[in-house]
Amino acid sequence: TGPFFGQFGTAPPPSFGNMTSVVPRAEYGGNIDNKHLGAGTTLYLPVNVPGGMFSVGDGHAVQGDGEVCVTALETSLIGDMRLTV
């Protein structure tokens, strides 16, 4: 697989309180690190707050099947995202 972003997410619901990390992942996304979420894939995430507050990051050049040993070849990436509500 080619390069991919490891983190995708929308803001968690207000009932979760003040969250400052995308780890661990939850129903709103987070640190997913799935190499199959590359160019051309579709990911559905809930919109929990007005505007959704989508974020993406954690670029990976390559990675195995997850970060079991907490390692991947990290890189900077620029991507085009299409968001539909």
Side-chain angles (χ1 to χ4, degrees), residues 2-6 56-61 74-79:
F4 67 97
F5 289 101
V56 63
D58 190 23
H60 295 227
E74 307 285 333
T75 190
S76 62
L77 292 176
I78 296 174

Side-chain angles (χ1 to χ4, degrees), residues 34-55:
N34 184 325
K35 67 182 180 182
H36 301 292
L37 289 175
T41 60
T42 300
L43 176 65
Y44 294 96
L45 296 169
V47 175
N48 298 301
V49 299
M53 299 181 65
F54 177 77
S55 71

Side-chain angles (χ1 to χ4, degrees), residues 1 3 7 10 17 19 24 27 34 36 39 41 46-47 49-50 54-55 67 69 74-75 80-81 84:
T1 60
Q7 184 273 323
T10 56
M19 303 210 34
E27 60 270 12
N34 184 325
H36 301 292
T41 60
V47 175
V49 299
F54 177 77
S55 71
E67 285 183 306
C69 59
E74 307 285 333
T75 190
D80 291 320
M81 310 288 164
T84 306

Side-chain angles (χ1 to χ4, degrees), residues 2 17 21-22 26 28 32 41 43 53 57 62 67-68 72 77 84-85:
S21 177
V22 295
Y28 53 84
I32 299 171
T41 60
L43 176 65
M53 299 181 65
V62 293
E67 285 183 306
V68 177
L77 292 176
T84 306
V85 178

